[in-house]
Amino acid sequence: METWAGSRISPGLWLMIAAYALQHARAEISSGSCPSPVQLRREELQMQQWVRFKPAEEMLEVREPGVTDQEFGVLGSFGPNLSLDQVKAAASESEDAALGRAKRSAPDFNEFSNSDWSGWTAQLESQKSGRSGFGWNREDGRGNTRQEEPRLSSSTFALTGDSAHNHAVVYWTGQNSSVILILTKLYDFHIGSVTESTLWRSTDYGSTYERMNDKIGFKAVLSYLYVCPSNKKKIMVLTDPEFESSVLISTDEGASYQKYRLSFFVLSLLFHPTEEDWALAYSHDQKLYSSVDFGRKWMLIHEHVTPNRFYWSVSGLDKEPDLVHMEAHTPEGNVQYVTCRAQMCSEANRNYPFPGYIDISSLVVQDDYIFIQVPTFGRATYYVSYKREAFIQIKLPKYSLPKDLHIVSTDGEQVFAAVQEWNQNDTYNLYLSDTRGIYFTLAMENVKTTRGIAGNQMLDLYEVAGIKGMLIANKKQDNQVKTYITYNKGRDWRLLQAPAADLEGNDIHCILPFCSLHLQLQTSENPYVSGTISTRSTAPGIIVATGNIGAELSYNNVGMFVSSDAGNSWRAIFEEEHNIWFLDKGGALVAVKQPSVPTRHLWVSFDEGRQWTQHTFSQVPLFVDGVLVEAGAENQIMTFFGHFSHRSEWQLIKIDYKSIFSRRCTEEDYQTWHLHNQGEPCVMGQKQIYMKRRPGNYCMLGKDYSRILSAESCICRAHDFECDYGYERRSDGNCRPAFWFNPSSVSRSCSQGQNYFNSTGYRKVVLNNCTKGVKEMYTARKQQCPNRSPKGLTLNTKDGKLTANMGSNVTFIVHLDEGDSLRTNIQLDFGDGTAVSYSNLSWTEEGIKHVYKSAGIFRVTALAENTLGSDTTTLFLHVSCAVEHVQLLAPFVVIRNKEVNITAVVLPSQSRTVTYFWWLGNNTEPVITLDGSISYTFRSEGMQTITVQVAAGDTILQDTKTIAVKEFFKSLLLSFSPNLDEFNPDIPEWRQDVGRVIKKALLQVSDFPEEQLLVAIFPGVPTAAELFLLPNKNQSEGKKKSEEELEKASSIIVSALNQNLVEFELKPGVRVIVYNTQLTLAPLVDSSPRHSSSAMLMLLSVVFLGLAVFLIYKFKRKIPWINIYAEVNQEKEQEMIGSVGQGDTTPKITLSEFTASKELMEKELDARVKRGVVNACESTREIPNCTSV
């Protein structure tokens, strides 16, 4: 979420000169949350951050006191003789390079925030490139008869020696001060820093300048200069950190300086609006510092602060004047809204006004409001705090579904917001809130946006200065853009009436609504490149703009137009675009042609643009880069900045225009002017009469003369009321409920015996001053709260998630749309055997917290009940704990076309909260289950891979095994002499190594092929293993012969095992003997259904053996070694050694690594005895299912 309007910047002087760009520059408040910020055009430029410009060829920037880099950025420049396209391309490349190095010398506009300045900063781009040719015979285009030219007093000063410098910044130190400071710099885009600088100072309003380098140090390279807004005599100058990181401090308007070293690199400064020595500094490594002695010493406030998202306290709202609001990042990467005092910001002293995480670059602290955006899934959710009260969710129309939201302004006791909805791409809808900033209603649909220089979106909406509630907007409708005007904050809009005649006096036949006047609403954020529309609060009713006449807005065949009666009627004044400024507190207009060609003349009008007089301000044509008007309040001085040619020095032409006035104005020079809307005298509920100078009187105002002579309240009528939240205006002009809104619903805060205000569907336009009339009819009516049964009960978690970690706090939010909250009982069953009950809903406002001590899916049920009825709702919460280990249990040899069971063991064990993904054989798509076991049939012989992934919460673990698929095979169970157990660490790597040693020992007593011999060591102790004899891959000799070979080989191996001929050396002096643990040789296992009599006898033998072991187990407490065996023995897992290798992708954790009670171990032994019977049984048939699970 972004903001486009901050605290009011007082009229003053700031200038940023940019040749090809600045004539279309616009005011913008932008942030990182949104990739394409949109902006509001306002003459008073209430802004928070400024639009970023790409570096241009030459720049001149002018600031007045209090201007900080949080209000504006600095442009770079290029050498001469570049085409516009070349400049744009090079600018983009250079800007990226500069920003990548994070140099203060070329900061992004969006890195900065505002302070309450008394002055302006402007930056213009000069056009030194290609300025060698002069237009001597070209006069400024105009549309009026030339008047006799009075003589202007002027003087010219050249900044000698700075011709190579491509950036100049001009500062007025304060109102009524004669001191002007100019900082010129050579910015090198290749290295991204300033390499040279010169500081100039004038004490006579710019007639002469003194070079100050000897007073700050000849070797010092300066990058920025700041003037304190509350004491303009105090100045800070920052050096470029490529040379040194220091701050130069002056307390005498720049006459002398003291240098202080800095331990960090300052990107931006933010002065306190009232305390002259307090300042915040934002560093290149995202740290925020504070100083209470005007930069001499700095203290760290917080690390990892979001750029642009730190604010000083607002007087009258925050209790401590040194309170700092900021958006900070946690070590985990989350973002929080943090407040603390500037010099007391330890963790213990920090506060978190919003209990939760917020979206990055979403914090906006502005006037009475604080806005944030919270992380959600799929939909944006916005919250507002009004006058530092608790945060409440912003209510937009239910189906607006915003993709993007920007705060346009907050200074009219309500919030203007621009919302790009789900079905919009290049337009925004304009919404207005109630006084608390909670409930928003639609003011205008499809407001046009314009792509800015840096790719940002700029909203074609302009707030007329000096007249409350008056807006001009460009609306896109049916693929046409038309200009509309409103006098009541967007309640009603109408097209602009075109002028009746052109400059030659010819009639213009333009009939509404088919033809009208359309305006370009592109204001420059500096008043010295006037932009395409201008108004001043000191000259109410006068609007000067660039536009065209026709069916829609066009950028071809444009002219200049003026309105003297607040947009009711318009006159054409120039056929070509001009920069137009207000002189003498709005009493006169001065016009200069766009700076594409050099000029010597300016034009002045004293009758609101009806007649213009030409004046010569320079004997040599000047490429005008910018004009500064009224450096002080009581003088009549303006300064032109520019170049005579691309090789010349910076030229500053000071003009004293006092001579064009014949005298000072008296009371007889003023007349009254009635504000109206097409003859309707009531605007915003009152009749307003202003005092204005009579057009054509050549008298000097000298001070702010415009004032409201009288303001009389009007009788309330329908146009003084807009639709309330949930209502929409229909074609008949009446407000009706939207289809999604239930007007009969009553807030849950309404309890029996209390009163509430029942909306009529209308609400009075904020700041409208009408009285009586239809006010009572349209105003919400007070009614008694009815007895109601609970309805609309909803249950959610505070963070909106349906997952939680075991052991963490889960906060449930219960909301009731209707029902007596004070007399409605709330019950919440957490689904884990615990529940809570509250006597009324007020006890649950902060949420209901609960900690789950086990994992699972829990059914959480809320019940709201009173004497009239009840309502219930349910949610299912997934509580999981982190998965630490997964182990895949599968046989290493299976029979083709026979189903095999495969199991994944998860530790710690979880119930119903784990998802299993199985890749079996050569399948590319997984089989997804909620169970840890799966059955599968392999259809072809060969080596097959099984992979399982286990997902629990945000954790995914994997295990993989490779198995052999055969038509038949033989297997033998092996055991070892007890000394092997002493060296068994029970880890997969050890089992693999021992398996290879056993395989090597078996090959010494048998000539069976190595690739057909597999050994799998079981996990746990006592150590045991299984030997697999596989048939040859080439079975062309016949299955019977292969079976005979396996029988022969197994007989040889069994004989060797029985004679203790199979042994290996584990380490020097430790020899291990391998035994055959089966009573008799296990028969051949294959896929045929036949049963031999020997196999049946073997089965009976194993059954009797199992019964014997079971009886021994029952009396195990009388046999000590059995008891020990039960405590240490673990389940066996087959592991394959040899040509069928296991891929252990995760560490194996056996049960022996977890503490188990004796009772569990007894159950384990019981299961092991039963498994022994099964193993013996399965060894006569399908060995693949002989897996310990």
Side-chain angles (χ1 to χ4, degrees), residues 136-315:
W136 290 93
N137 60 341
R138 301 186 60 179
E139 297 292 342
D140 291 309
R142 53 175 177 75
N144 302 92
T145 304
R146 178 181 302 182
Q147 304 296 311
E148 182 179 354
E149 179 180 333
R151 183 176 180 82
L152 292 177
S153 173
S154 66
S155 62
T156 302
F157 188 90
L159 302 183
T160 306
D162 287 353
S163 60
H165 290 190
N166 52 21
H167 185 205
V169 187
V170 183
Y171 305 82
W172 262 264
T173 60
Q175 191 175 19
N176 297 326
S177 172
S178 61
V179 176
I180 300 176
L181 297 171
I182 300 179
L183 175 63
T184 65
K185 301 178 288 186
L186 174 59
Y187 184 82
D188 191 328
F189 285 97
H190 296 289
I191 64 175
S193 65
V194 177
T195 57
E196 296 179 15
S197 66
T198 303
L199 182 63
W200 301 83
R201 184 172 185 263
S202 171
T203 58
D204 53 9
Y205 291 107
S207 295
T208 59
Y209 290 86
E210 176 189 3
R211 187 188 292 264
M212 303 292 293
N213 284 33
D214 58 336
K215 296 186 178 181
I216 61 174
F218 281 104
K219 295 183 179 180
V221 179
L222 309 179
S223 59
Y224 279 105
L225 188 152
Y226 303 86
V227 181
C228 175
S230 54
N231 183 354
K232 280 93 178 183
K233 294 179 183 254
K234 292 189 173 183
I235 299 169
M236 280 191 198
V237 183
L238 297 176
T239 61
D240 192 275
E242 285 293 303
F243 298 88
E244 64 174 330
S245 184
S246 301
V247 58
L248 301 172
I249 296 175
S250 173
T251 57
D252 52 8
E253 293 186 283
S256 61
Y257 295 90
Q258 294 177 310
K259 180 185 287 188
Y260 296 88
R261 294 280 184 177
L262 296 176
S263 61
F264 57 94
F265 164 20
V266 177
L267 282 181
S268 60
L269 288 177
L270 180 64
F271 289 104
H272 194 278
T274 57
E275 297 291 335
E276 62 185 59
D277 290 333
W278 295 4
L280 300 177
Y282 186 75
S283 70
H284 68 290
D285 54 355
Q286 296 187 325
K287 294 180 181 179
L288 187 64
Y289 297 84
S290 68
S291 173
V292 294
D293 55 4
F294 202 69
R296 294 171 176 82
K297 290 183 293 185
W298 296 90
M299 177 179 291
L300 178 65
I301 296 179
H302 205 295
E303 298 180 345
H304 307 297
V305 176
T306 305
N308 298 331
R309 301 303 167 182
F310 50 92
Y311 309 85
W312 277 113
S313 62
V314 178
S315 178

Side-chain angles (χ1 to χ4, degrees), residues 552-592:
E552 62 178 327
L553 178 66
S554 172
Y555 293 91
N556 299 318
N557 300 319
V558 298
M560 300 296 297
F561 300 88
V562 65
S563 174
S564 301
D565 55 3
N568 286 282
S569 62
W570 295 82
R571 301 185 305 275
I573 54 175
F574 291 106
E575 292 178 346
E576 298 180 85
E577 290 187 66
H578 283 64
N579 284 314
I580 296 181
W581 297 273
F582 290 79
L583 290 182
D584 191 31
K585 299 298 180 182
L589 299 175
V590 60
V592 177

Side-chain angles (χ1 to χ4, degrees), residues 640-771:
F640 279 61
F641 294 85
H643 297 81
F644 293 140
S645 72
H646 72 280
R647 295 184 181 91
S648 73
E649 315 285 353
W650 292 96
Q651 304 295 324
L652 290 80
I653 301 178
K654 172 189 171 183
I655 301 173
D656 189 339
Y657 59 87
K658 188 183 303 182
S659 60
I660 66 177
F661 297 104
S662 59
R663 55 185 173 80
R664 283 192 175 271
C665 294
T666 63
E667 289 295 331
E668 290 73 21
D669 293 308
Y670 295 94
Q671 67 180 13
T672 60
W673 172 68
H674 296 252
L675 174 64
H676 66 95
N677 176 11
Q678 290 186 319
E680 170 55 55
C682 290
V683 176
M684 289 293 288
Q686 63 182 3
K687 298 176 182 178
Q688 301 177 48
I689 302 177
Y690 291 82
M691 289 294 294
K692 297 177 63 175
R693 185 177 58 184
R694 295 180 185 275
N697 287 12
Y698 283 69
C699 63
M700 181 175 61
L701 300 175
K703 60 181 180 180
D704 187 1
Y705 74 96
S706 71
R707 63 184 185 272
I708 298 179
L709 184 63
S710 66
E712 178 186 349
S713 295
C714 299
I715 299 299
C716 288
R717 290 181 290 176
H719 61 252
D720 295 312
F721 293 82
E722 62 190 2
C723 291
D724 202 354
Y725 175 77
Y727 290 80
E728 298 173 338
R729 191 172 301 281
R730 302 300 168 85
S731 58
D732 59 1
N734 294 321
C735 296
R736 297 282 185 266
F739 74 94
W740 50 267
F741 183 69
N742 180 13
S744 62
S745 62
V746 182
S747 172
R748 64 177 178 82
S749 61
C750 188
S751 182
Q752 185 177 359
Q754 297 178 342
N755 297 317
Y756 76 101
F757 288 96
N758 187 17
S759 175
T760 61
Y762 300 84
R763 69 184 186 192
K764 192 177 179 182
V765 174
V766 176
L767 296 184
N768 186 292
N769 294 318
C770 73
T771 59

